DNA sequence: CCAATTTGGTGGCATTTGCAACTAGTTATT
DNA sequence: AATAACTAGTTGCAAATGCCACCAAATTGG
């Protein structure tokens, strides 16, 4: 297939969609969607977060996080308690069940990145990751 | 905001969603969605393509391309003619209207990439683009 | 040359995400 | 202290995408 691509923008679209299909498949064995798995990872990493904290760190709309958390609470992965200092907000905490799947979900995520970068050298892969983080942080900072 | 991110996978999600919001906004003035604009770019670049050719090059599902093209034909950006050699397939060609918006849409896409990489040096930006294309091509090749 | 398989395209349905309007609680202004 | 402005979260709706089942044409294998 000649000249598949010339644009970084299109590349990002392709990488997003492909990696999410892979990640969703990988998470299905734990009865989780990709979106739910990502939330589990970030909440476990921080131990406690508000919904807004998750929203800002993932660059998703707050309504998306609200819906995902409702599901995760129902399925026993998260606990929501009203914050005493600010009654508008919830403290979101992982359950033991969440901590149990954490390493496996993390592994799935790494596998996805490994797969898309399999023809890169270790140096290239590390540089790719560094630039991705840099661009993502800048993008989040831009509209907030 | 401390430790926003640690994972390349999450970064790709963020970059995709943010850049698509920007791109959609940028394309709205031409009465185009981001998805439609991307199809216009690729069809103009190749002059003629089948729906399957577009599908493979963008890594999207074939039903998505079918729906997008139906819309683009209705709004006068694309022409579909049945291929004489293979009556199952369409030859998709851009109209003059498509060629007219092409440079502006391309510009919007570049602006998005520029925005997310604004703190990079020119060298970093070029390297980032190279690695994105490399990973995207590999991802497409993987499941086809 | 006929049957089986493959390929390109369509339509329906489900999921993910984003936006806008809304509620309730908090902070700032006067 | 009262009101205005802001912030966290919820809900409903719309758009984008993916998957599946299906159809029609083409290719392959006997």
């Amino acid at each position: 297939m000649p000249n598949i691509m010339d644009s970084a923008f299109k590349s990002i679209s392709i990488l997003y969609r492909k990696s999410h299909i892979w990640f969703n498949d990988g998470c299905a064995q734990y009865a989780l969607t990709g979106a739910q798995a990502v939330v589990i990872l970030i909440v476990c990493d921080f131990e406690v977060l508000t919904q807004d904290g998750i929203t800002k760190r993932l660059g998703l709309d707050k309504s998306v996080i609200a819906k995902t958390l409702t599901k995760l609470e129902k399925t026993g992965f998260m606990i929501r308690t009203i914050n005493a200092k600010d009654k508008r907000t919830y403290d979101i905490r992982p359950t033991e069940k969440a901590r149990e799947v954490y390493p496996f979900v993390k592994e799935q995520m790494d596998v996805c990145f490994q797969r898309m970068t399999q023809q890169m050298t270790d140096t290239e892969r590390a540089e790719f990751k560094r630039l991705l983080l840099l661009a993502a942080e800048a993008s989040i900072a831009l509209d907030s």
Side-chain angles (χ1 to χ4, degrees), chain A:
Chain A
M1 180 137 23
N3 303 331
I4 285 184
M5 239 165 324
D6 52 303
S7 144
F9 180 90
K10 277 188 243 168
S11 300
I12 290 173
S13 305
I14 291 165
L15 288 173
Y16 170 80
R17 289 193 307 268
K18 292 296 179 188
S19 66
H20 271 250
I21 291 173
W22 301 338
F23 188 57
N24 270 292
D25 282 352
C27 291
Q29 58 188 306
Y30 309 110
L32 288 169
T33 67
Q36 291 165 6
V38 171
V39 170
I40 287 180
L41 288 186
I42 201 160
V43 175
C44 285
D45 283 340
F46 283 85
E47 198 57 36
V48 189
L49 277 177
T50 62
Q51 295 192 187
D52 204 53
I54 303 174
T55 295
K56 294 229 171 70
R57 286 181 174 80
L58 293 180
L60 280 160
D61 190 80
K62 57 187 182 170
S63 69
V64 173
I65 297 299
K67 288 159 196 166
T68 305
L69 282 172
T70 301
K71 189 71 191 292
L72 284 173
E73 193 182 20
K74 235 175 246 164
T75 50
F77 287 98
M78 293 286 144
I79 296 183
R80 281 204 258 210
T81 50
I82 293 176
N83 183 297
K85 297 258 174 77
D86 185 343
K87 286 169 196 156
R88 291 170 308 174
T89 71
Y90 288 117
D91 289 333
I92 314 291
R93 287 194 178 76
T95 61
E96 196 49 44
K97 189 175 172 189
R99 278 190 242 278
E100 276 164 21
V101 298
Y102 179 94
F104 301 104
V105 165
K106 189 132 193 158
E107 169 69 14
Q108 288 300 325
M109 200 176 263
D110 290 342
V111 166
C112 286
F113 187 60
Q114 218 51 33
R115 193 183 298 192
M116 74 176 66
T117 61
Q118 63 187 206
Q119 4 71 94
M120 291 187 190
T121 65
D122 286 351
T123 314
E124 284 177 326
R125 186 177 295 111
E127 180 68 356
F128 188 39
K129 181 172 175 176
R130 183 181 76 81
L131 294 171
L132 281 169
L133 302 195
L134 190 59
E137 293 215 24
S139 301
I140 285 192
L142 267 178
D143 34 35
S144 65

